[in-house]
Amino acid sequence: MKSVLLIGLGRFGRHTAEKLHELGHEVMAVDKREESVNAVLPYATNAVIGDSTNPEFLKSLGVESYDLCIVAIGDDFESSLETTALLKDMGAKYVVARAAQGIQEKLLSNNGADAVVYPERQLAEWTAICYSSDYILDYIAVNDEFAIYEIEVPEKWKGRSLSELDIRRRLQINVLALKREGSLILDVNPDAPLEGEQTLLVLGRESDVRKILK
């Protein structure tokens, strides 16, 4: 369990609070709008109304005591930038800031953010990759080169085993797990024939994954 200071309770901040709560973390939620604070109360350990660009207010939160600080302000970049810088100046251990545009990512990094998330771009990439293919069902980037894909079993693979297909050597793609009826199978039998109702979780380059789906 981690203690998290979450600043900015718009849609992104509220969803972040809900997930942190679901994962069992302690959340101190902050926003300058009373209605936003009230909306997140069911998911926060504590919640306060205040302006995070006010050094005295921010200092009163004891930012150095939190394991993680998330700046989720999305509608006022100047406030987001100032809050990020103040948090680091006050000894915050790890600051994650939200960017809404490409240039903001660099500016936040230069002003103290340990990590920057760019939800619009990340969702746009996911949408483009998943919905432009008939076979890719889900996608998680690992780095700029590799990603994990959930794919349907290609027609030419059905009834054949992973050992027979030898896709790791031939295609530089690793099968991490099988998924059947919502259940994940991590102990994959390389000699069992693949079935049409299964999906595969594979790790590889996008270019290599798309080759097998053509």
Side-chain angles (χ1 to χ4, degrees):
M1 180 181 69
K2 289 189 175 183
S3 57
V4 182
L5 175 60
L6 175 62
I7 300 173
L9 304 175
R11 283 177 295 179
F12 176 74
R14 187 169 64 252
H15 288 309
T16 301
E18 290 179 18
K19 193 62 181 181
L20 287 167
H21 174 74
E22 180 185 325
L23 294 170
H25 299 298
E26 294 182 346
V27 179
M28 165 63 90
V30 177
D31 199 285
K32 60 185 178 181
R33 296 163 296 193
E34 182 178 0
E35 63 273 18
S36 297
V37 172
N38 289 337
V40 85
L41 285 175
Y43 315 108
T45 310
N46 292 292
V48 294
I49 303 167
D51 182 359
S52 62
T53 65
N54 182 324
E56 291 304 315
F57 168 73
L58 204 59
K59 188 175 181 180
S60 72
L61 299 175
V63 299
E64 71 283 354
S65 65
Y66 292 93
D67 298 311
L68 171 65
C69 297
I70 300 175
V71 182
I73 301 169
D75 56 358
D76 184 348
F77 180 64
E78 185 177 347
S79 292
S80 176
L81 195 63
E82 190 172 348
T83 299
T84 299
L86 284 171
L87 286 169
K88 291 307 288 187
D89 287 345
M90 293 179 182
K93 296 174 185 174
Y94 197 86
V95 178
V96 178
R98 176 195 177 187
Q101 299 176 21
I103 187 63
Q104 294 180 1
E105 186 174 1
K106 184 174 182 179
L107 290 170
L108 287 164
S109 295
N110 289 343
N111 280 270
D114 296 291
V116 178
V117 294
Y118 191 167
E120 287 81 2
R121 183 179 67 188
Q122 291 159 346
L123 181 58
E125 290 176 356
W126 183 91
T127 301
I129 288 171
C130 291
Y131 287 100
S132 65
S133 169
D134 294 331
Y135 302 100
I136 296 176
L137 305 178
D138 205 352
Y139 155 87
I140 302 172
V142 175
N143 58 24
D144 291 339
E145 188 176 8
F146 291 90
I148 297 172
Y149 300 84
E150 181 182 354
I151 64 171
E152 295 182 359
V153 176
E155 195 65 36
K156 60 186 177 182
W157 288 10
K158 293 177 183 177
R160 303 174 68 187
S161 70
L162 294 174
S163 295
E164 179 185 355
L165 292 165
D166 196 16
I167 61 173
R168 184 173 185 176
R169 183 186 62 82
R170 292 192 304 107
L171 301 173
Q172 291 76 54
I173 293 172
N174 292 293
V175 176
L176 305 178
L178 300 178
K179 199 172 178 182
R180 184 189 294 116
E181 297 178 353
S183 297
L184 205 59
I185 304 168
L186 299 175
D187 187 14
V188 180
N189 182 354
D191 298 316
L194 296 172
E195 303 170 7
E197 63 269 19
Q198 296 172 330
T199 58
L200 306 177
L201 267 65
V202 302
L203 171 65
R205 297 180 180 87
E206 181 182 354
S207 57
D208 291 330
V209 171
R210 290 197 177 277
K211 284 178 187 177
I212 68 174
L213 299 178
K214 286 183 180 179

